[in-house]
Amino acid sequence: DSGVTQTPKHLITATGQRVTLRCSPRSGDLSVYWYQQSLDQGLQFLIHYYNGEERAKGNILERFSAQQFPDLHSELNLSSLELGDSALYFCASSATGESPLHFGNGTRLTVT
Amino acid sequence: AQSVTQLDSHVSVSEGTPVLLRCNYSSSYSPSLFWYVQHPNKGLQLLLKYTSAATLVKGINGFEAEFKKSETSFHLTKPSAHMSDAAEYFCVVSNTGGFKTIFGAGTRLFVKA
């Protein structure tokens, strides 16, 4: 058990809808990372937050946004969903920049 | 700039034979290097980490990796494959401060009985 909790495990929704994915990092970890994993694109870095502040952005679409709250949990908001957004979305946390990432088990999003 | 290249998208071995998963990296800094494993429908799990303390790094489940600066490589090995090793493996490079973490494309390991 990595200590990182992601909810929900599965999400099925229709095109055009909006969803929110939630991540609780390991106790004490200040950094939260979001990744998207799909068969055709592989593992893609989306965004990194450190202690509530955005630190780095990767290949995150404008339709997607994230935030990290004072209690350090994070949410990834996906809006105007398209079929191509169907993927596994992972959250990872780390204590410091050099620390290993600890991954949650992911949220599988299916857009129909 | 940083980059990481996993030289094989798929590797197939027989149970009990050695495993070699190849990774080359490029980094302007002294990097931190990691190997992660992902079993089907699971999150990624850390196998091992290199941070300049020793060039040969031992990880979990009998895996180890050797950092070779002259070759900019960080290959993952295991003397004897087990069926449970079948999974996808990711080589990762991270700069000092860790705010730039790059994942390789992954190598899928198949283990034949």
Side-chain angles (χ1 to χ4, degrees):
Chain A
D1 181 13
S2 68
V4 177
T5 303
Q6 288 189 248
T7 56
K9 290 185 179 179
H10 302 277
L11 203 48
I12 301 174
T13 189
T15 54
Q17 295 298 304
R18 172 189 171 96
V19 297
T20 297
L21 312 183
R22 182 187 169 99
C23 170
S24 295
R26 274 192 337 158
S27 177
D29 283 357
L30 299 179
S31 273
V32 170
Y33 302 77
W34 285 98
Y35 289 86
Q36 179 194 57
Q37 187 178 41
S38 60
L39 283 174
D40 54 344
Q41 297 282 337
L43 195 65
Q44 298 282 323
F45 166 65
L46 295 178
I47 199 163
H48 169 211
Y49 278 85
Y50 178 79
N51 202 21
E53 293 187 8
E54 181 185 304
R55 278 304 182 116
K57 259 186 176 178
N59 301 323
I60 188 166
L61 300 171
E62 284 191 13
R63 300 183 285 109
F64 296 180
S65 64
Q67 57 185 132
Q68 186 179 26
F69 295 87
D71 67 353
L72 301 177
H73 91 272
S74 178
E75 291 181 357
L76 179 67
N77 299 296
L78 315 176
S79 61
S80 302
L81 285 167
E82 302 175 359
L83 295 177
D85 298 327
S86 297
L88 257 176
Y89 290 84
F90 286 107
C91 167
S93 73
S94 69
T96 68
E98 289 91 351
S99 303
L101 300 179
H102 297 270
F103 283 80
N105 283 330
T107 293
R108 182 172 293 282
L109 173 66
T110 302
V111 182
T112 62
Chain B
Q2 291 187 131
S3 67
V4 58
T5 303
Q6 292 185 242
L7 299 170
D8 307 291
S9 58
H10 298 85
V11 170
S12 183
V13 300
S14 297
E15 192 173 22
T17 64
V19 175
L20 170 63
L21 306 183
R22 299 181 295 164
C23 172
N24 286 351
Y25 71 93
S26 169
S27 178
S28 305
Y29 309 90
S30 295
S32 294
L33 296 162
F34 308 83
W35 277 98
Y36 287 82
V37 60
Q38 184 182 25
H39 289 92
N41 298 312
K42 294 288 188 183
L44 281 73
Q45 179 187 16
L46 179 70
L47 271 180
L48 49 81
K49 170 184 178 182
Y50 166 79
T51 53
S52 79
T55 57
L56 185 63
V57 183
K58 293 191 182 300
I60 62 171
N61 301 334
F63 284 94
E64 61 182 37
E66 186 172 8
F67 173 71
K68 291 187 176 180
K69 187 173 181 178
S70 59
E71 298 175 12
T72 61
S73 69
F74 190 57
H75 300 337
L76 181 71
T77 60
K78 182 173 181 178
S80 176
H82 191 273
M83 296 297 288
S84 61
D85 295 327
E88 185 143 26
Y89 292 79
F90 293 90
C91 181
V92 178
V93 60
S94 177
N95 70 332
T96 303
F99 297 126
K100 186 76 172 175
T101 299
I102 307 291
F103 279 76
T107 297
R108 185 163 293 278
L109 176 65
F110 297 93
V111 182
K112 299 174 289 186

